[in-house]
Amino acid sequence: MTLAKEPIAQPIQRSHTAGDFAREEVGLANRNSGLPLEALRYDVTPIGMHFLLTHFDVPFVASAQDWRLEIGGRVRTPLSLSLAGIQQLPAKTLRVTLECAGNGRANLVPRWQTQPWEYGAISTAEWTGTPLRHLLEKASIAPDAIDVAFLGSDRGFDAGREHNFGRSLKPDAAMNDDVLVVWEMNGAPLAPQHGFPLRLVVPGWYGMASVKWLKRIEVLAQPFDGYQQTPNYHYRHKREDPGVPVSTMRVKSLMVPPGIPDWYTRHRTVEAGSVELTGRAWSGAGVPITRVAVSINGTWSDAALDPPQGKYVWRGWRFVWQATRGEYVLECRATDANGDTQPVEAPWDSVGFGNNGVQRVPVTVR
Ligand SMILES: Nc1nc2c(c(=O)[nH]1)N[C@H]1C(S)=C(S)[C@@H](COP(=O)(O)O)O[C@H]1N2
Ligand SMILES: [Mo]
């Protein structure tokens, strides 16, 4: 596998729409599952409930025995490492909340036709691996390096461009001790759908940076121009804007929908009385959450925050609501230590990246 130019074919036509979901969107939603919001209750998401986003096919890797991670490009010592060799490096376990940059995009009007996330593309796992910097130090980055590309073994087409899924980090970001090359999730070998046998985990960033099925690291003297780096994953108001690269997660919160759901609509029914509302709040780049407010039909009150569980981990919150009969809309809104707060109205983005608008939960109290 190399960084050869990506062949360009005729792109598939897609569009913005405000109407029904296309068969293709429903098909993607079946392949790429979200966290059921009731599972926000787990500090660490059970593996089978962790959200999934796989652009192409999940590679079939029968055994990790023959897997090699290659490191090449602008390095003094190109390397080809086995999984066993990598596992001999100093190991580190980090609890990390990952969110897909497209989370919430199905709630935007009009929406871009793609994986139609509502709220669930968010989860927390405990990742065990070795800091990437140990591998880069072994290979020894050349002084003219300005970008480090990470390629997965999965390959396909997007917008007519054939490529392996790939992303890059600037050398200083790549050398951060918390960026891990990971072989275990929640104490078990990586599941096939989460990147077996090896993946990158970049804490504090949206999920696209955490390349699964990691096969090759290419150190570059020019910016990586793979499809998933650019043009994809840029905030753009118009399709033709140059855009701003998507990087760290924006401040956000979600609540566990209270009461019981209707099977089809998911509308909630709650018994009158004292109702404890709970949820999670997080931000990017390791910035702590400082406040969560809850709104009951537009009246905001502060929630209590649970103790923090780590630099890159969502923070629990709770609020006791004295519910009386009627129709309600519940909302929650987080603020981080930078003073950033979730917008009440989601910022519109051409393909729906970074939607951190407040969640609205309609509830009937009886
Ligand atoms: N090789 C590869 N890595 C990938 C992807 C992919 O399609 N292929 N998807 C990315 C995106 S967009 C996200 S949000 C996360 C999702 O990780 P998960 O499926 O383990 O939850 O993986 C990232 N890493
Ligand atoms: Mo994603």
Side-chain angles (χ1 to χ4, degrees):
M1 179 193 310
T2 59
L3 278 189
K5 236 195 150 36
E6 297 172 359
I8 299 183
Q10 190 56 32
I12 306 292
Q13 290 307 315
R14 287 189 275 165
S15 57
H16 286 100
T17 180
D20 292 342
F21 286 87
R23 178 169 295 273
E24 290 84 346
E25 293 176 286
V26 175
L28 286 176
N30 274 291
R31 290 184 54 86
N32 296 295
S33 52
L35 178 83
L37 292 188
E38 61 273 27
L40 286 166
R41 294 188 177 97
Y42 297 92
D43 290 337
V44 174
T45 310
I47 289 175
M49 288 175 134
H50 194 287
F51 85 92
L52 281 176
L53 195 293
T54 298
H55 289 73
F56 306 132
D57 290 348
V58 174
F60 176 68
V61 183
S63 138
Q65 288 277 305
D66 304 327
W67 193 268
R68 288 287 178 285
L69 172 61
E70 293 165 8
I71 308 184
R74 300 298 305 148
V75 293
R76 291 199 182 83
T77 318
L79 299 171
S80 174
L81 300 165
S82 67
L83 182 63
I86 294 170
Q87 287 174 335
Q88 266 149 34
L89 295 166
K92 180 167 176 175
T93 299
L94 271 183
R95 195 177 286 196
V96 176
T97 297
L98 275 190
E99 183 182 22
C100 178
N103 198 19
R105 60 156 56 118
N107 302 326
L108 298 175
V109 182
R111 69 175 191 280
W112 181 243
Q113 290 186 306
T114 181
Q115 164 65 26
W117 292 121
E118 290 187 317
Y119 295 109
I122 172 80
S123 300
T124 297
E126 232 154 35
W127 304 101
T128 301
T130 192
L132 169 66
R133 105 183 140 73
H134 293 310
L135 302 181
L136 296 178
E137 280 162 3
K138 249 176 170 326
S140 181
I141 295 185
D144 63 352
I146 61 158
D147 215 1
V148 185
F150 305 92
L151 296 185
S153 68
D154 50 330
R155 188 171 180 85
F157 294 89
D158 194 351
R161 273 171 69 172
E162 182 182 340
H163 60 282
N164 284 71
F165 186 92
R167 289 281 311 175
S168 73
L169 293 172
K170 299 292 166 222
D172 60 331
M175 294 298 283
N176 183 313
D177 201 58
D178 293 336
V179 174
L180 302 181
V181 173
V182 158
W183 55 84
E184 265 182 24
M185 178 184 190
N186 295 1
L190 284 173
Q193 65 274 27
H194 289 295
F196 179 81
L198 216 51
R199 77 176 296 172
L200 199 64
V201 169
V202 186
W205 283 58
Y206 280 117
M208 74 284 157
S210 295
V211 175
K212 304 191 272 190
W213 313 291
L214 184 63
K215 270 306 269 180
R216 184 165 174 89
I217 300 176
E218 182 93 10
V219 180
L220 299 166
Q222 74 282 349
F224 175 57
D225 66 352
Y227 175 79
Q228 303 293 346
Q229 192 70 26
T230 184
N232 204 4
Y233 291 109
H234 277 64
Y235 295 112
R236 291 188 184 94
H237 202 71
K238 289 197 258 61
R239 298 271 304 148
E240 54 279 14
D241 290 347
V244 174
V246 174
S247 59
T248 56
M249 297 185 290
R250 290 175 169 169
V251 63
K252 192 162 171 182
S253 60
L254 289 174
M255 83 172 70
V256 175
I260 57 171
D262 175 65
W263 150 244
Y264 183 62
T265 62
R266 313 311 294 177
H267 184 82
R268 314 298 302 187
T269 298
V270 170
E271 303 298 337
S274 181
V275 179
E276 188 179 46
L277 302 175
T278 64
R280 302 281 174 177
W282 63 94
S283 189
V287 177
I289 289 296
T290 50
R291 183 178 175 212
V292 174
V294 172
S295 155
I296 313 291
N297 279 354
T299 304
W300 291 91
S301 317
D302 277 355
L305 298 180
D306 295 345
Q309 296 185 352
K311 188 172 175 189
Y312 305 107
V313 190
W314 57 20
R315 190 160 179 189
W317 58 263
R318 51 200 69 244
F319 175 77
V320 179
W321 172 34
Q322 300 305 331
T324 55
R325 265 172 52 172
E327 297 299 322
Y328 296 89
V329 174
L330 312 181
E331 297 169 289
C332 55
R333 190 179 188 195
T335 303
D336 70 17
N338 287 344
D340 288 332
T341 300
Q342 290 179 254
V344 175
E345 277 312 318
W348 192 83
D349 175 79
S350 177
V351 295
F353 290 136
N355 178 356
N356 65 340
V358 299
Q359 174 195 14
R360 291 189 173 80
V361 185
V363 169
T364 300
V365 178
R366 66 174 181 193

